[in-house]
Amino acid sequence: MKTIEKVHTSNRSTWVGDGFPTNSMLPMHEISPATSPLIVMGYTEKYAFEPTSHQRGVGMHPHRGFETVTIVYDGELEHRDSKGNHGKIGKNEVQWMTAGSGIMHAEHHSEAFAKSGGNLDMIQLWVNLPNHTKMTEPRYQELTETNIPEVDLGKNGIVRVLSGQYRHENRIAKGPAKTFSPINLLDVRLNAGAQESFDFNPTWNNIVFVLSGKVKIDGQEFHNLQTVYLTHDVSVLDIECSEDAKLLIMSGEPINEPIVAHGPFVMNTEAEIQQAFVDFQNGHFA
């Protein structure tokens, strides 16, 4: 049985604004049904920032037709948007923003993090919306350490369930995120010497991203900044660790619809993209 469809390795980093050096782990130019409902993923890998009075980041910019999911492993970010939402997320917290029909938002280092400096370690995912929800009302969710369930794997480590569900020893833990299509996001921390099995729905798209450490899957070793696409033959996956490892396991039911993406907009047709630009230019996202 073939387990691994392909592997993407990032060997370069680009800057988003002045606050986010980003490794492209699901590149936009490779958008395909094989990643649906995920569109793109960028990873800022433990980048050390010096103290400053300037809140580095990205100023107000538009989105329509999808969701942004920002996972902070270290550091602290601040969010503001045109719907009046304002919040901060720190270590081990997540913000899940639904752009829907259109929103303007800004993302910066928090004032406290900017002043203290330190490591920023974070992921941002773009999650597609099905056609019938692309023009839904925008919304903002904060997932904190207090409402993200953590499953103890004993000596093997832990699994934090951000969305969807995870089964372990006949217990099912459910993530707090409200989603528009079925998606399981698991923040997995495995200890050196761990051997752990994970169940998958073979009709979904299933992806394992290695943030740090080394793991072995189907006899092959993978390391940091590698994204492993699993085949649809996989229903159970065994993962072994030769050293402490941090993984993001992503599984989602494919949205079998056309995707047209241009800059900050992800829609189904070129006409919808053009309309998004018109609406933005006419101030409808404000």
Side-chain angles (χ1 to χ4, degrees):
M1 180 186 73
K2 184 180 178 183
T3 300
I4 298 166
E5 186 66 42
K6 71 173 185 176
V7 179
H8 171 75
T9 302
S10 176
N11 57 7
R12 65 182 180 89
S13 177
T14 58
W15 281 83
V16 178
D18 65 355
F20 307 111
T22 302
N23 295 282
S24 183
M25 303 314 309
L26 290 176
M28 179 171 272
H29 67 269
E30 293 186 12
I31 289 176
S32 74
T35 66
S36 180
L38 304 177
I39 307 170
V40 296
M41 177 171 67
Y43 177 46
T44 295
E45 184 192 22
K46 293 183 180 177
Y47 192 91
F49 285 94
E50 295 294 325
T52 177
S53 59
H54 165 60
Q55 288 181 256
R56 300 179 179 95
V58 182
M60 281 288 180
H61 58 284
H63 289 305
R64 171 179 280 182
F66 65 101
E67 302 179 288
T68 63
V69 180
T70 305
I71 307 168
V72 174
Y73 296 93
D74 203 2
E76 187 177 66
L77 301 182
E78 187 169 351
H79 166 95
R80 291 182 184 273
D81 64 43
S82 55
K83 299 297 291 184
N85 298 305
H86 175 218
K88 297 175 186 177
I89 54 168
K91 186 173 182 178
N92 294 327
E93 296 185 326
V94 179
Q95 65 179 23
W96 197 300
M97 187 192 76
T98 303
S101 60
I103 198 168
M104 300 283 292
H105 80 140
E107 299 166 293
H108 291 93
H109 299 180
S110 72
E111 184 177 3
F113 179 69
K115 286 183 177 179
S116 68
N119 288 333
L120 180 63
D121 191 5
M122 57 162 282
I123 283 175
Q124 186 169 95
L125 281 166
W126 287 14
V127 178
N128 200 11
L129 289 170
N131 174 265
H132 69 280
T133 64
K134 280 193 174 293
M135 297 297 287
T136 194
E137 182 72 14
R139 72 182 181 193
Y140 176 73
Q141 304 174 69
E142 284 186 7
L143 316 182
T144 67
E145 280 197 286
T146 57
N147 66 11
I148 296 173
E150 183 175 294
V151 179
D152 187 355
L153 304 178
K155 65 179 182 180
N156 282 347
I158 62 169
V159 173
R160 302 172 69 242
V161 187
L162 309 183
S163 71
Q165 62 181 37
Y166 169 69
R167 180 190 294 272
H168 179 69
E169 295 181 348
N170 297 320
R171 175 196 167 195
I172 296 178
K174 296 185 177 181
K178 298 176 182 177
T179 67
F180 288 89
S181 60
I183 180 170
N184 297 336
L185 287 184
L186 307 179
D187 170 11
V188 180
R189 320 286 179 94
L190 295 179
N191 299 326
Q195 296 185 12
E196 193 67 35
S197 295
F198 294 86
D199 294 332
F200 290 93
N201 184 334
T203 68
W204 288 14
N205 289 324
N206 301 300
I207 299 170
V208 178
F209 171 48
V210 184
L211 288 78
S212 63
K214 293 180 181 178
V215 298
K216 187 174 286 187
I217 299 173
D218 198 22
Q220 299 182 54
E221 190 171 79
F222 300 99
H223 55 77
N224 63 310
L225 298 183
Q226 289 193 302
T227 309
V228 183
Y229 296 71
L230 304 181
T231 70
H232 289 282
D233 295 326
V234 176
S235 57
V236 178
L237 185 73
D238 296 324
I239 298 179
E240 303 176 36
C241 285
S242 56
E243 58 184 55
D244 290 354
K246 186 161 56 178
L247 313 173
L248 183 64
I249 296 182
M250 302 164 279
S251 301
E253 183 177 51
I255 301 171
N256 294 313
E257 297 172 353
I259 299 176
V260 180
H262 192 107
F265 307 133
V266 181
M267 303 300 290
N268 298 112
T269 67
E270 289 286 355
E272 290 170 338
I273 292 289
Q274 293 170 11
Q275 186 61 52
F277 277 103
V278 170
D279 292 344
F280 165 60
Q281 291 163 359
N282 288 336
H284 294 168
F285 289 16

